[in-house]
Amino acid sequence: MIENTQETRKTSMLILESSLVFSNVLQKNLCALNYRVTLAKTLYQAVELLSVQTFDVIVLDLHLRDGEGEMILQNLSILDPKLKMIVYSIDHDPNRSHTWDRYGVLAFLSKSDPIAHIVRKIDALAQSCDQEPRARLLWIGELESTVQHVRTLLHVRNYRLFVAQSQEEAFSFAPIDLILLELDVYDTANVERLRQVRAAYAEPQTPIFIVTQAYDSALLHALIQNGANEFFVKPLLGEMLGERIDFWLERQRIQNVQQREGRLLQEYKNVIDKSMIVSKTDPHGIITYVNEQFCDISGYRADELIGRSHRIVRHPDTPASVFQDLWTTILSGNMWKGILKNRKKDGSAYWVHAFIYPIITRKGQIDEVIAIRHDVTQLHLVKESLSRALQRSDSDLDEAFHLSKQYETVIDESNSLTRVDTEGKILFVNKRFCELSGYAKEEVIEQSFSAMYADDIDPLVVKQLWETIQSGHIWRGVLKNKRKDGSLYWVKATVVPIKDKQGKITEFMSVRNDISEIIKLHEEIESTQQEIIYHMGEIAESRSQETGNHVRRVAEYSRLLALKYGLDAQEANKIAMASPMHDIGKVGIPDAILHKPGKLTDEEWEIMKTHAMLGYAVLQHSKRPILQASAIIAKEHHEKYDGTGYPLGLSGETIHLYARIVAIADVFDALSHDRCYKKAWEDADVFAFFEKERGTHFDPNLVDMFLAAKEEFLTIRNHFKDALNP
């Protein structure tokens, strides 16, 4: 076995071929098309590979040392019923191969064909397998056996097939890309039935294939005249049917692209015509078209311009050499662009930035010239004004310098300013920086600015800051800093790279505003919000007479398990903050059920289960991220990994990760403590329960992480003991 190890392959492919010559040639060509290719010489080697890995497509010969023909296909399909195969062999027996579609055979290719043709065919088939279902096909007919055969033929080619036994039922599946219409060859109403199907779908480009039991030339002629595109006689040959479906859908796709591109081109023309100044001339400069914007800016009507030379709007100030260069460039087949000063009908001037394109015929001749212009008159007027302003006197410059110093003072007094070199060493700090940090200037100059950061600052924030400014971009964000006395403060910072004339970064300047009060207020709000959530969770738990610290333990268990799973601290904290509300829906459950010491009846249990959706209903409309997370947890924490939970019967990873985490935390705490209906379990029994329910009740990966960290969970439990479990 030889495996190609090049990276970035798009589709995995197994070539099962006893001849090294054929297999090596195929591998080389398919690797060049960016496939990940593995070779096997025998059926045994192929079975061994398929038992440990999956492949998108298998290309195989039906003549191996340890297998022949259909037996090879049977063995491979047993390992993977969804396997897609391309048979590549020296011979092709059509009497048998047309029944092999059920094994996932996409096509039968001959080794006698040119290798370039074979590779193109394999590439086209593999690409179709690599996509989502490519098209929506509709079968209209009544014979179940034929439907199943067609479904098998099309599934392997990645088509989605809908089945309708009547035309009325067929309407519910629209839109449809292609229709397979089963007709009785002896039914005289066939033509009318085809007309009804064609009229009902109202898309003249939708292909319709006719499938009949026998060939009838008169019927075929009548059906084609009334909108049929293809005619097939049973039994259907999968390869032929698939190829014809591919052909018609690709034809339809190309037509749709052409129509879309045509509409898009017209929209582009409309946008340009509405938003820019456009004109057309013949190769001699005679105007053949002007748009409304051209008339507006020039002051001429269209009938005053069409048929005249462009000299009608030429301003006498524009040198003749500009127009000589313009026409030399255009007549050589190239685009000319530049600024032109033109003259309106009333004699006033206007300026345009012009892009002038020659339209070249296939014979290389200029058919017409299109000019697209932007009005830049205001820009030129401003430039003239600035030019005059630059001639101000020395006294004006002194006044400007005086004002700039005042601006500098305002900035210096209200902001903390620092400058650091490209290595991060401090070059300058202002008075405000010293007041804010508690350091004197001489204590920080030449020191690394990293010493100013708080010890627990997020290293990712610092990394992103330096990557941004070292790439020449401005960074904005919040930084947590440390004063000389060790106290913390927060700043909103803007860090700007300073560059020399050559664009090389020489240093960085940072402007900071103290936002410590805002951060502290935000933290206080978050703390208050968390306290409220804890109390609401405790109220819900107290109604069912559960232990006082239950919600706090569940929160800490959830935080720990989220971190073990690999979530960052911020998301782990969000789960912990949201988890106390997991049973908030119990406030809507009657006390008689909540406090019942024995087993609930079926009716009582159904009422109890409603607390999940009650909790979700209470929380679902909140815009707060924590309460949104609480709503998800309340709704789904009683779902089970195998789909037998409630309220929705979700399974696997369709259950939200937050709910899967809290489910383990909640059950662990419930089993570890006394409840009104049971006594606390021994620890060994609790952990044995989770091992037993791994993959059934609980996410198996999360259970593994939980069991690997038993001692940490027990430490949390012992820290938050309560009166019921001293």
Side-chain angles (χ1 to χ4, degrees):
M1 290 175 287
I2 307 169
E3 184 170 354
N4 185 283
T5 58
Q6 296 185 30
E7 297 180 351
T8 322
R9 298 302 184 196
K10 58 181 179 181
T11 300
S12 61
M13 189 174 293
L14 174 64
I15 297 179
L16 178 53
E17 167 65 70
S18 59
S19 168
L20 282 177
V21 174
F22 283 113
S23 59
N24 286 335
V25 170
L26 271 182
Q27 182 188 39
K28 180 180 178 181
N29 282 273
L30 291 169
C31 286
L33 293 175
N34 209 28
Y35 288 100
R36 179 164 50 86
V37 180
T38 301
L39 302 184
K41 295 191 294 184
T42 66
L43 177 59
Y44 176 80
Q45 289 177 341
V47 170
E48 188 179 35
L49 280 168
L50 286 166
S51 66
V52 295
Q53 66 184 101
T54 59
F55 295 92
D56 299 305
V57 178
I58 293 185
V59 181
L60 71 152
D61 194 351
L62 292 179
H63 303 286
L64 303 174
R65 292 197 300 270
D66 54 350
E68 285 286 331
E70 187 171 3
M71 185 269 282
I72 298 175
L73 302 177
Q74 289 175 337
N75 278 271
L76 295 176
S77 64
I78 289 172
L79 282 172
D80 186 354
K82 296 182 179 179
L83 203 58
K84 293 179 172 58
M85 293 182 274
I86 301 171
V87 173
Y88 172 61
S89 193
I90 199 66
D91 59 358
H92 178 197
D93 183 356
N95 294 325
R96 291 188 302 162
S97 62
H98 78 268
T99 66
W100 291 353
D101 303 283
R102 64 181 180 274
Y103 298 120
V105 176
L106 291 168
F108 294 86
L109 309 179
S110 174
K111 289 183 180 179
S112 60
D113 289 336
I115 190 64
H117 169 78
I118 295 298
V119 171
R120 282 196 301 270
K121 187 72 174 177
I122 292 174
D123 184 41
L125 292 166
Q127 285 189 48
S128 71
C129 296
D130 195 37
Q131 299 170 354
E132 293 295 321
R134 294 185 292 164
R136 294 166 59 90
L137 277 56
L138 176 64
W139 171 274
I140 305 176
E142 297 181 356
L143 294 180
E144 183 64 24
S145 59
T146 305
V147 171
Q148 291 303 323
H149 181 53
V150 171
R151 191 186 300 279
T152 302
L153 298 180
L154 299 181
H155 173 74
V156 75
R157 304 181 78 90
N158 242 23
Y159 288 115
R160 189 173 181 187
L161 181 67
F162 300 91
V163 177
Q165 294 186 349
S166 66
Q167 290 172 216
E168 292 74 15
E169 184 183 359
F171 300 152
S172 64
F173 296 110
I176 290 296
D177 300 300
L178 184 144
I179 299 170
L180 295 155
L181 178 60
E182 184 182 32
L183 296 177
D184 184 348
V185 71
Y186 303 109
D187 190 342
T188 57
N190 281 332
V191 172
E192 181 58 30
R193 190 177 181 195
L194 172 62
R195 287 176 182 162
Q196 292 173 358
V197 171
R198 172 65 73 190
Y201 281 89
E203 293 288 345
Q205 72 271 25
T206 303
I208 299 180
F209 289 8
I210 304 299
V211 180
T212 67
Q213 192 66 39
Y215 179 81
D216 183 280
S217 58
L219 174 63
L220 171 62
H221 181 70
L223 292 172
I224 289 177
Q225 282 187 323
N226 285 274
N229 301 96
E230 294 279 356
F231 190 87
F232 291 90
V233 177
K234 300 177 216 174
L236 299 174
L237 299 180
E239 188 173 359
M240 180 183 297
L241 179 62
E243 287 180 351
R244 297 313 296 166
I245 290 174
D246 288 346
F247 167 79
W248 281 98
L249 291 179
E250 178 63 14
R251 182 173 181 268
Q252 185 177 339
R253 186 191 66 80
I254 292 172
Q255 290 176 345
N256 291 338
V257 169
Q258 290 174 340
Q259 292 174 0
R260 186 167 59 252
E261 289 180 346
R263 291 193 300 269
L264 187 60
L265 178 60
Q266 186 58 49
E267 289 174 3
Y268 284 157
K269 290 180 178 178
N270 293 338
V271 169
I272 291 173
D273 208 42
K274 295 292 184 184
S275 60
M276 300 180 185
I277 304 164
V278 181
S279 68
K280 295 181 183 180
T281 70
D282 65 15
H284 306 289
I286 302 302
I287 299 172
T288 58
Y289 170 81
V290 292
N291 70 344
E292 184 178 345
Q293 280 71 20
F294 191 102
C295 296
D296 289 343
I297 195 170
S298 69
Y300 289 97
R301 299 191 310 273
D303 62 298
E304 294 177 305
L305 294 167
I306 293 175
R308 303 283 299 275
S309 169
H310 243 294
R311 294 189 184 91
I312 190 173
V313 294
R314 182 185 298 180
H315 198 284
D317 290 351
T318 304
S321 59
V322 172
F323 294 99
Q324 291 173 358
D325 174 64
L326 185 157
W327 280 103
T328 300
T329 302
I330 292 171
L331 293 175
S332 65
N334 298 311
M335 179 193 76
W336 183 91
K337 64 178 179 178
I339 304 295
L340 292 174
K341 185 178 182 180
N342 288 341
R343 181 172 59 185
K344 298 183 180 182
K345 184 177 180 179
D346 63 8
S348 60
Y350 67 97
W351 287 261
V352 291
H353 189 195
F355 297 82
I356 304 177
Y357 305 81
I359 304 302
I360 311 296
T361 65
R362 291 189 176 182
K363 295 182 179 180
Q365 299 175 335
I366 296 177
D367 182 54
E368 63 179 349
V369 178
I370 298 178
I372 298 174
R373 306 168 182 83
H374 302 280
D375 182 11
V376 293
T377 302
Q378 292 300 319
L379 176 63
H380 273 263
L381 294 175
V382 170
K383 286 173 65 177
E384 290 180 354
S385 175
L386 288 174
S387 178
R388 290 191 296 270
L390 288 174
Q391 300 172 10
R392 67 178 60 180
S393 64
D394 289 344
S395 61
D396 293 332
L397 291 174
D398 289 340
E399 179 64 20
F401 180 75
H402 175 69
L403 291 174
S404 69
K405 293 300 292 182
Q406 293 184 66
Y407 296 150
E408 182 180 340
T409 300
V410 171
I411 294 172
D412 197 44
E413 289 293 330
S414 60
N415 295 276
S416 168
L417 301 178
T418 58
R419 288 168 40 216
V420 300
D421 64 16
T422 54
E423 301 299 323
K425 289 185 178 180
I426 298 175
L427 302 174
F428 165 82
V429 296
N430 71 343
K431 177 183 176 183
R432 178 61 181 147
F433 174 90
C434 296
E435 292 173 350
L436 192 57
S437 68
Y439 288 99
K441 287 186 180 182
E442 57 272 15
E443 292 179 302
V444 295
I445 299 298
E446 292 298 321
Q447 300 299 313
S448 173
F449 195 86
S450 60
M452 304 295 111
Y453 295 139
D455 296 336
D456 61 346
I457 191 171
D458 188 346
L460 293 178
V461 172
V462 178
K463 182 174 181 290
Q464 182 196 44
L465 186 158
W466 278 98
E467 287 178 349
T468 301
I469 61 177
Q470 286 175 339
S471 66
H473 297 92
I474 297 173
W475 182 89
R476 297 179 178 87
V478 175
L479 295 172
K480 187 177 182 181
N481 289 347
K482 179 176 61 178
R483 295 188 177 90
K484 182 179 178 180
D485 62 8
S487 61
L488 302 177
Y489 66 101
W490 287 260
V491 293
K492 184 177 181 181
T494 301
V495 187
V496 182
I498 306 300
K499 304 175 184 179
D500 59 19
K501 290 183 179 180
Q502 287 72 41
K504 181 181 178 181
I505 297 173
T506 59
E507 62 180 73
F508 303 104
M509 176 174 284
S510 176
V511 181
R512 291 172 164 80
N513 295 309
D514 183 15
I515 59 169
S516 300
E517 291 299 321
I518 297 173
I519 295 294
K520 290 176 181 177
L521 178 60
H522 178 73
E523 290 178 344
E524 184 177 339
I525 291 171
E526 279 196 342
S527 176
T528 302
Q529 177 178 297
Q530 179 61 64
E531 195 64 28
I532 292 171
I533 289 173
Y534 270 129
H535 286 312
M536 289 180 70
E538 288 173 351
I539 290 169
E541 300 299 342
S542 66
R543 287 209 65 240
S544 56
Q545 296 185 348
E546 303 201 352
T547 59
N549 277 332
H550 171 67
V551 293
R552 296 187 181 273
R553 287 192 295 269
V554 169
E556 294 305 317
Y557 297 151
S558 299
R559 186 198 318 277
L560 176 58
L561 190 52
L563 292 172
K564 296 292 183 184
Y565 186 82
L567 301 183
D568 59 33
Q570 183 177 359
E571 192 163 13
N573 288 337
K574 181 166 74 171
I575 297 173
M577 293 173 71
S579 67
M581 302 282 277
H582 64 279
D583 275 337
I584 189 65
K586 286 184 179 179
V587 299
I589 303 299
D591 288 346
I593 295 176
L594 278 178
H595 301 162
K596 184 175 181 179
K599 184 179 180 181
L600 299 178
T601 65
D602 290 344
E603 293 78 6
E604 290 170 337
W605 177 237
E606 289 302 317
I607 294 172
M608 174 63 82
K609 289 196 295 185
T610 63
H611 83 272
M613 290 307 295
L614 285 173
Y616 178 68
V618 169
L619 301 168
Q620 65 173 321
H621 298 297
S622 174
K623 303 298 183 183
R624 300 289 182 181
I626 292 175
L627 295 183
Q628 290 174 347
S630 296
I632 292 169
I633 292 168
K635 180 177 65 172
E636 299 182 17
H637 75 288
H638 284 298
E639 300 287 359
K640 293 186 178 181
Y641 202 76
D642 64 358
T644 62
Y646 66 89
L648 301 177
L650 303 179
S651 63
E653 294 188 1
T654 60
I655 306 170
H656 198 286
L657 175 61
Y658 294 177
R660 284 181 275 142
I661 288 172
V662 174
I664 291 176
D666 184 33
V667 173
F668 172 63
D669 197 67
L671 295 179
S672 300
H673 293 83
D674 292 343
R675 294 290 172 91
C676 65
Y677 52 85
K678 71 160 190 68
K679 298 296 290 181
W681 289 18
E682 295 294 332
D683 289 346
D685 295 334
V686 172
F687 293 127
F689 172 79
F690 278 97
E691 290 176 352
K692 176 186 174 184
E693 294 297 316
R694 179 187 181 278
T696 303
H697 187 155
F698 306 107
D699 182 328
N701 293 327
L702 288 172
V703 169
D704 291 343
M705 296 169 190
F706 165 71
L707 294 175
K710 294 178 185 176
E711 296 304 321
E712 294 178 68
F713 282 88
L714 292 175
T715 299
I716 292 173
R717 187 185 69 185
N718 294 334
H719 181 72
F720 289 100
K721 289 183 178 180
D722 51 49
L724 293 178
N725 291 278

